[in-house]
Amino acid sequence: MNIKNVIFSYFKEKISYIGTYIIFIFIFSIVFYLYSLPLETIMYATLLCAFFSIIFTIVGLYKYYQKDKKLQDIKYNISHTIDGLPDYQSLLEKDYQNIIKTLYKNKIDLILERDKKHTDLIEYFTLWTHQIKTPISASHLILESKNSDINEDIEKQLFEIEEYVDMALQYLRLENISSDLKLEEYSLLSIVKKSIKSYSKIFIYKNIKLNLKENDIKVITDEKWLLFVIKQIISNALKYTHKGEIYIEIDNKKVLTIEDTGIGISKEDISRIFERGFTGYNGRMNKKSTGLGLYLSKNILDKLNHKISIISEIGIGTTVKIDLSSVKLEIE
């Protein structure tokens, strides 16, 4: 609050006192006049009263300003603490402060309860995702023992289930990603190859050609999280490419390019593809789309200080670029 507003607010609060003071001056002036006191005496008394009134007003205004300033500081830090509230000057101020303290305590209790429930939820689903992978792995082993077209279809469905399980797990971990990051120097080509290997059967199943331009560049990143992002991009490329190829290149500027010859993304959808739950036209056509893959990828890359951009044209394909040159740390 600026000084002009403080002065206005101060006098607005003191209006009843000012009015009473004026009334008292008027009464005393009449009394002095009726008793035929000399004008000089009346003027002297009036000036003395005015002088001390101005002094008290300035002191009161200064204290009022200091209290307002302290309250403004507390307002911007109230999410952390309400310590340092000004000393109350009246019973009403004491009551107001007690109300504030009670509300703040209730807020902290609610936050702690919410955090506990959130932690319990993450622990449960983390355990669930690990447990469900056991029967999935067992199913893979059973299917590998027999070769048939039906088994290939089941294998593909199991792979998609694994993807959704991983996506759910990463979504739950996203909120606390900062404490989970481990930035080190990695071979970008190695991470890309791990991502490709995960989808090798899908490439074969869909008869999609892979064109990988190998260039072993070192980047500073978190391998686990970047691997998840690249897998999401390749997964999308495979999902929406029915024929043709997927081209992957790593240039010397540490930019990873993943380009496909798929159905493309409409101009209307491009600006919203990183929104949570947004599936666009392609997602509505493909009932399996969750609208979480690119949302998670963008958030993860932001935390890693990497940049992602997407250009696309309907019927031509989509190009995704991930710039990993922005992180500059000294690795011990």
Side-chain angles (χ1 to χ4, degrees), residues 133-149:
K133 285 184 178 182
T134 301
I136 291 174
S137 299
S139 300
H140 280 303
L141 291 173
I142 294 169
L143 290 172
E144 286 176 0
S145 65
K146 297 181 180 180
N147 294 319
S148 71
D149 293 337

Side-chain angles (χ1 to χ4, degrees), residues 314-330:
I314 293 291
I316 302 298
T318 301
T319 301
V320 180
K321 290 183 179 291
I322 301 175
D323 185 351
L324 298 100
S325 64
S326 53
V327 176
K328 295 181 180 179
L329 296 174
E330 291 184 5

Side-chain angles (χ1 to χ4, degrees), residues 134-135 141 178 190 193 235 300 324 326:
T134 301
L141 291 173
S178 297
S190 175
K193 284 185 174 181
S235 174
I300 290 167
L324 298 100
S326 53

Side-chain angles (χ1 to χ4, degrees), residues 197-211:
K197 185 178 180 181
S198 301
Y199 292 92
S200 57
K201 290 184 179 180
I202 308 300
F203 275 99
I204 296 170
Y205 180 83
K206 296 192 69 173
N207 196 27
I208 301 296
K209 180 183 176 183
L210 172 65
N211 188 345

